Amino acid sequence: MSAATPVTFHFDPTCPWAWMTSRWLGDEVEPHRDLDVTWAVMSLYYLNETRDIPAGYREMLTERQNLSGAVVAARAKYGDKVVKPLYDAIGTRLHPQGRQDLDTILEEAFAEVGVEPVSLEEIRSDEVQEALRAGTQAVIDKVGDDVGTPTIDIAGAAFFGPVVTPAPKGEAALNLWDGSVLVAGVPGFYEIKRSRTVGPQFD
């Protein structure tokens, strides 16, 4: 039997586009393809730290930085197995439910996953922040600093995206995956893009 295809999905819990791509990969593709998926946290706050971005966007990233920090702190405390369930629990409340009560979201998410919540001191520790910077740099190293999350690495070939709304299901989801694998495997291939005309559409 051939080995499972290694896949790394780089995400910031804040990003609604990464959320939909993660639903496509985790819910629709992974059960039907032989994949070994690693869920890796990055930080949109650090990605945009030196960029000229709108003040409102920077404020939002600053407010939500603790979400990615909490997942990294939990990974350090409980291991990799907690990353995807915690992302699911946080993202469901933040994106489809549209909630803004970040402290309560984290409290409920840790309770849903069944582990003790990490402290603010742990989230803001040098170790966690350096891990977030490293996770962000890993994305930049793979796809450049003009893109971010979602980023998918398929057996060492990485690309930004796919950015989709709504997340495809069933055969359409698998067709998108198979096409992504083919595109990722073409040396020298860089970009497919068109302007987004609608915002995130959650189920």
Side-chain angles (χ1 to χ4, degrees):
M1 293 182 61
S2 59
T5 301
V7 177
T8 302
F9 183 84
H10 298 272
F11 70 93
D12 183 321
T14 293
C15 181
W17 301 103
W19 172 253
M20 284 186 295
T21 304
S22 73
R23 300 309 92 186
W24 161 73
L25 176 63
D27 296 344
E28 299 295 326
V29 177
E30 190 175 10
H32 303 286
R33 295 291 185 266
D34 190 12
L35 308 180
D36 180 12
V37 181
T38 298
W39 300 87
V41 189
M42 56 87 69
S43 167
L44 285 171
Y45 174 85
Y46 285 133
L47 182 70
N48 290 281
E49 192 172 25
T50 60
R51 292 179 177 176
D52 182 15
I53 60 174
Y57 184 53
R58 187 175 302 282
E59 181 180 355
M60 184 272 290
L61 295 180
T62 302
E63 290 174 349
R64 296 186 177 186
Q65 169 76 343
N66 286 347
L67 299 179
S68 54
V71 179
V72 170
R75 182 185 64 196
K77 200 169 189 176
Y78 302 113
D80 290 339
K81 66 182 181 299
V82 79
V83 173
K84 177 61 162 48
L86 197 54
Y87 177 34
D88 291 345
I90 292 170
T92 296
R93 290 163 173 80
L94 188 65
H95 299 302
Q97 295 179 12
R99 290 172 51 183
Q100 303 293 326
D101 49 335
L102 303 181
D103 290 342
T104 305
I105 285 174
L106 284 178
E107 180 181 340
E108 292 178 2
F110 274 89
E112 180 178 318
V113 174
V115 296
E116 288 295 317
V118 295
S119 67
L120 187 59
E121 289 73 20
E122 289 173 295
I123 291 173
R124 294 183 176 175
S125 69
D126 290 344
E127 292 79 7
V128 165
Q129 296 306 310
E130 285 305 313
L132 277 175
R133 286 186 180 276
T136 306
Q137 188 62 47
V139 172
I140 294 171
D141 290 345
K142 290 179 179 183
V143 295
D145 62 4
D146 59 339
V147 292
T149 179
T151 286
I152 297 180
D153 182 323
I154 305 173
F159 57 88
F160 171 68
V163 175
V164 291
T165 185
K169 300 182 184 300
E171 184 177 359
L174 296 177
N175 287 340
L176 177 59
W177 171 258
D178 293 339
S180 297
V181 172
L182 290 174
V183 165
V186 176
F189 179 85
Y190 290 103
E191 187 172 359
I192 291 177
K193 188 168 184 176
R194 59 184 172 187
S195 297
R196 291 195 296 263
T197 58
V198 295
Q201 300 174 30
F202 305 115
D203 292 334

